[in-house]
Amino acid sequence: MAATTSQSLSALLRQSTIEDHDEVLKACNGALKKSKTDQEAQHVRVVALLKLDRYDHALRVFEDAGDRLKDRLPLEHAYALYKTGNYVEAERVTKAAGGDRGIRHIEAQTSYRLEKFARAADVYNQLAGTSAAIENEENDLRINSSAVDAQLEWKGQGHLVQKKKPSREDMEAFETAYNAACASIARGELGQGEVLLKRAKDLCSGLEDLSETEKTAELLPISVQQLFVLCRLGKIEDAERLLAEITISDIPDLSTRTVARINSLVQSQQSSNPYLSFRLFHSTPELPKTDKLFDFQQSIRRRDQYTQDLLALKFEGVEASTSKLLFRHPSSTTSADCNTVAVLHAAAHARNQQGKLAVKQILPLLEQRPYDVGLLLTLIQLYILTNNHASAINVLETFFKRLEESTAAADQDVRFAPGLVAILVSLYTLQGRKRHIKSELAKAASYWRHKSKPPTALLCAAGALLLDNPRPEELAEAGEIFETLHEREPNNRLVTAGFVASHATTSPDKVQSDLDKLTPINRLISGVDAAALEEAGVPNAPSPSRMDTSRKRAAGDAATPAKKRIRKARLPKNYDPSKPPDPERWLALRDRSTYRPKGKKGRQKAAGLTQGGISEKDDKAVNSSSTPGPLKMEKAGVGGTVGKAKKKKAKK
């Protein structure tokens, strides 16, 4: 019976066309009603369902048929899993299936969606190294490989990208031009990204094999990316014009629509109402698992959401949500996502306050989470904004001491993280503490020098500082640092210059071969006028320690106070600024030297007044007391009084 069914099905398939998938599916269903275990009918049914984009139904067929059909059709099974968003299971199936070319394509795509971009790049490179099996496969490989390179740049793994500059082939298709633009934007090359996006738009608009609807669907993501670039470049007017041309509701992909909504809220000047912006932000529906944002996009979206909630004064909700995320990372970390969440948590806890009020609210949080790098950076920033550099240094040094006492290797990596070390060095520079700067950089260089991937910028800074007025042991340490870097990066000119400088006096033969790699001295000083510099002299700039945070005025400033402006309403009547004011204007009128009383009695009374002089009676008393004579002591009375005058009798 099964053979008869297979023969009739094969005859039907020979009579059908390649687009007649519904008829094929009906025939398979009729055949399976007669024999449910017919492998040939199940195979054709799965292919027909995949052609009709009914991936869930195809998976249900695999589950009903059991492992026998899965082992027979690993490519179709993996593809159905991939299209339904079951990427982990699809990856397992592709690895177990072997090295079939179609399976390798699905493995690369699955690794791409799982954000295993390094693995996806390896698979695509292996596929590109062999001959293509089908038509246009080479073009598809080029497009997918360029997309993987762009994602590697976004993820911070740009060192794995082999091609940094777009080639001529990348400029022939709008997909490759768009991917090259995304890679340039991820590297921070915004100008080149803008040019490539314009090229991608022109190529897409000029395609003749696409309908207007299909062109619009392809152009909208390019316009959304272009809006982002214009905002970053500060071209606000161009961004506003482009935003007016974008209809966000017409974007078919929900993930792209979400990104467009967020970028439009950032750029639009009409969204000044935080509550209206909050409503628009959350108007996008929940994304399906087949169209999720990548991790770096989801991280930015989460930060934007918390920021929008803070602007809408939803402090308690943000604080509760961020607390759950921070609870998963109790130890210190340099993850930008985790530390940014900690900053937003601190903002919610402080109720968007700033200055000393915010410091007062955040300090207790640091006691609860002493290893939180994001919280530490928030507190340091608040101290710097209040011009309290000493407290910023103190809290950072305390944090470093706490990490040094830890035995975890991850804590030591955080202790000597280049960013945190740079913050402490900058704070030391503000206070002119050169000895502390050299000590901190030397410790960081000693730690990273023996690691597999040391930070080149930090080691170069430490080595250059050790070469500044070096002692013999510091010169030897700088030589070791630059020698280690030179072995790993022989073409780095900065490293080569430090290597030559550190060994020029101790072992010149060792660096003789590297001298030719450096720019000649004559070329470096060709534009310098030595005579003009010598005539101008060397200015003596004040040291940072003298220019530090003291707010008191110098003694010379007090000698020449600023002239206070006097209002006209406070000036006396008939005031003449050319005449000096009367020095006796503060005395009463009768006490002034120019006072002349009116009338005969007034003049006689004024003649008897002394105006501060000595009267005739007092003059006699003074003259009589000035003659020498025996001193007389008066007896004190019993009551403690010197003497009592006799009372006069009252007149009768």
Side-chain angles (χ1 to χ4, degrees):
M1 183 67 182
T4 306
T5 305
S6 300
Q7 292 175 2
S8 61
L9 182 61
S10 300
L12 177 62
L13 291 175
R14 284 194 298 270
Q15 297 174 3
S16 63
T17 62
I18 197 170
E19 300 295 337
D20 201 5
H21 305 300
D22 287 318
E23 294 297 329
V24 173
L25 183 60
K26 289 179 182 179
C28 291
N29 291 335
L32 289 173
K33 286 181 180 180
K34 299 176 182 179
S35 176
K36 294 183 179 180
T37 59
D38 188 351
Q39 293 287 323
E40 188 70 24
Q42 290 175 343
H43 184 176
V44 176
R45 185 186 182 190
V46 167
V47 174
L49 289 172
L50 294 177
K51 291 288 186 179
L52 293 171
D53 295 340
R54 296 169 61 178
Y55 307 110
D56 292 322
H57 292 176
L59 275 183
R60 197 175 304 122
V61 172
F62 278 110
E63 295 299 328
D64 294 340
D67 295 338
R68 188 176 178 181
L69 184 62
K70 295 178 182 178
D71 295 339
R72 182 181 178 181
L73 306 174
L75 175 63
E76 289 79 0
H77 186 207
Y79 185 71
L81 290 170
Y82 168 75
K83 295 299 289 185
T84 54
N86 298 318
Y87 303 121
V88 177
E89 185 66 18
E91 183 185 30
R92 186 191 65 79
V93 173
T94 55
K95 288 183 177 180
D100 182 74
R101 194 171 184 86
I103 288 288
R104 301 302 302 277
H105 274 281
I106 298 178
E107 181 185 0
Q109 286 293 95
T110 304
S111 300
Y112 180 84
R113 293 305 305 178
L114 290 174
E115 303 195 26
K116 299 179 180 180
F117 303 118
R119 174 58 183 166
D122 292 339
V123 175
Y124 280 130
N125 289 333
Q126 294 172 9
L127 290 172
T130 57
S131 59
I134 59 176
E135 187 180 359
N136 293 329
E137 183 183 1
E138 184 178 354
N139 185 43
D140 293 341
L141 285 174
R142 188 183 303 112
I143 294 173
N144 293 342
S145 298
S146 60
V148 171
D149 290 343
Q151 291 293 346
L152 285 171
E153 295 286 358
W154 283 114
K155 201 173 180 64
Q157 299 176 348
H159 59 281
L160 300 177
V161 178
Q162 299 178 358
K163 186 173 63 174
K164 292 290 186 178
K165 294 183 179 180
S167 61
R168 180 176 298 178
E169 295 176 346
D170 296 333
M171 310 299 288
E172 295 177 354
F174 78 93
E175 297 95 341
T176 52
Y178 175 75
N179 291 334
C182 293
S184 299
I185 296 168
R187 289 191 296 267
E189 301 170 357
L190 300 178
Q192 181 175 333
E194 183 183 12
V195 174
L196 292 172
L197 287 174
K198 290 181 180 179
R199 175 63 177 173
K201 257 189 171 181
D202 295 338
L203 290 173
C204 184
S205 301
L207 291 177
E208 298 179 355
D209 54 345
L210 293 180
S211 63
E212 292 300 325
T213 304
E214 292 174 338
K215 286 183 181 180
T216 303
E218 296 290 349
L219 287 172
L220 280 173
I222 301 176
S223 299
V224 172
Q225 192 71 282
Q226 198 173 13
L227 176 64
F228 171 77
V229 173
L230 292 175
C231 292
R232 291 285 304 274
L233 290 174
K235 299 180 178 180
I236 306 301
E237 296 180 357
D238 295 341
E240 287 288 344
R241 286 194 295 268
L242 180 61
L243 181 60
E245 299 174 0
I246 299 175
T247 305
I248 298 178
S249 58
D250 293 344
I251 301 176
D253 297 334
L254 287 179
S255 58
T256 307
R257 192 186 306 174
T258 301
V259 174
R261 178 74 65 186
I262 296 173
N263 290 347
S264 64
L265 288 175
V266 173
Q267 175 56 32
S268 178
Q269 299 178 357
Q270 300 176 357
S271 59
S272 58
N273 187 341
Y275 303 100
L276 179 59
S277 300
F278 174 84
R279 182 179 177 182
L280 293 174
F281 186 91
H282 293 277
S283 62
T284 305
E286 185 178 356
L287 300 177
K289 61 180 181 179
T290 57
D291 195 17
K292 291 287 186 182
L293 296 172
F294 291 100
D295 281 348
F296 77 94
Q297 294 174 318
Q298 185 61 33
S299 175
I300 297 174
R301 182 179 183 273
R302 186 188 303 115
R303 296 199 297 265
D304 291 340
Q305 178 181 348
Y306 288 146
T307 304
Q308 194 64 59
D309 292 347
L310 290 175
L311 293 175
L313 306 182
K314 297 182 178 296
F315 303 120
E316 296 180 357
V318 174
E319 189 173 2
S321 180
T322 51
S323 296
K324 294 179 182 179
L325 293 175
L326 294 174
F327 183 75
R328 305 172 190 171
H329 302 277
S331 59
S332 59
T333 178
T334 55
S335 170
D337 187 20
C338 182
N339 291 328
T340 306
V341 171
V343 174
L344 294 168
H345 176 78
H349 185 78
R351 300 301 189 262
N352 284 351
Q353 293 179 340
Q354 299 180 1
K356 295 182 179 179
L357 295 176
V359 172
K360 187 177 180 181
Q361 296 290 333
I362 295 174
L363 271 176
L365 283 181
L366 189 61
E367 297 177 359
Q368 299 174 9
R369 303 200 308 271
Y371 294 98
D372 195 329
V373 177
L375 191 60
L376 171 77
L377 295 177
T378 304
L379 195 58
I380 290 174
Q381 181 67 18
L382 290 172
Y383 277 134
I384 292 175
L385 291 176
T386 56
N387 205 25
N388 192 352
H389 299 157
S391 297
I393 292 175
N394 181 44
V395 70
L396 186 54
E397 288 178 341
T398 304
F399 179 78
F400 280 172
K401 189 178 298 183
R402 192 181 301 119
L403 291 178
E404 289 172 357
E405 296 173 356
S406 175
T407 57
D411 290 341
Q412 299 306 313
D413 289 344
V414 175
R415 161 62 184 90
F416 296 104
L420 294 178
V421 173
I423 292 174
L424 185 58
V425 168
S426 300
L427 291 172
Y428 283 155
T429 304
L430 290 175
Q431 295 192 342
R433 298 162 67 171
K434 295 183 179 180
R435 183 173 60 85
H436 292 79
I437 295 174
K438 183 178 291 188
S439 174
E440 180 62 27
L441 287 177
K443 288 193 294 184
S446 176
Y447 175 79
W448 287 110
R449 195 170 59 201
H450 305 291
K451 297 292 182 178
S452 58
K453 295 181 180 179
T456 304
L458 189 147
L459 293 181
C460 286
L465 193 62
L466 291 173
L467 289 175
D468 186 16
N469 299 324
R471 297 192 298 268
E473 59 273 13
E474 293 178 348
L475 183 62
E477 187 175 358
E480 293 177 2
I481 292 173
F482 283 112
E483 186 173 0
T484 303
L485 290 175
H486 188 62
E487 292 175 356
R488 293 172 178 168
E489 301 182 24
N491 296 325
N492 191 325
R493 301 181 68 182
L494 179 60
V495 172
T496 303
F499 177 67
V500 171
S502 58
H503 292 85
T505 57
T506 57
S507 52
D509 298 337
K510 193 174 185 179
V511 298
Q512 189 65 34
S513 60
D514 295 310
L515 289 176
D516 297 336
K517 299 179 181 179
L518 301 178
T519 306
I521 298 178
N522 295 332
R523 183 178 176 184
L524 291 174
I525 64 174
S526 59
V528 179
D529 190 350
L533 290 176
E534 185 177 359
E535 184 179 356
V538 181
N540 294 324
S543 61
S545 58
R546 296 181 181 179
M547 299 172 60
D548 204 13
T549 57
S550 177
R551 297 183 179 180
K552 295 183 179 180
R553 292 183 299 176
D557 296 342
T560 58
K563 188 175 181 180
K564 188 175 180 180
R565 182 181 177 184
I566 304 176
R567 297 179 182 177
K568 292 183 178 181
R570 295 181 177 273
L571 296 175
K573 190 176 181 181
N574 300 327
Y575 172 73
D576 188 1
S578 61
K579 296 181 180 180
D582 186 6
E584 296 181 352
R585 62 187 182 278
W586 308 114
L587 299 177
L589 189 61
R590 65 177 180 274
D591 294 336
R592 300 183 187 180
S593 60
T594 57
Y595 176 68
R596 296 291 182 269
K598 297 181 180 180
K600 185 176 181 181
K601 292 184 178 180
R603 288 193 292 271
Q604 291 177 353
K605 185 177 180 180
L609 297 176
T610 62
Q611 287 286 335
I614 302 177
S615 64
E616 184 178 350
K617 183 178 180 180
D618 293 337
D619 187 38
K620 292 180 179 179
V622 171
N623 292 334
S624 62
S625 62
S626 61
T627 56
L631 298 176
K632 296 183 179 180
M633 298 293 293
E634 294 183 353
K635 295 182 180 180
V638 179
T641 58
V642 177
K644 294 183 179 180
K646 294 183 179 180
K647 293 182 179 181
K648 295 182 179 180
K649 294 181 180 181
K651 295 182 179 180
K652 294 183 180 180

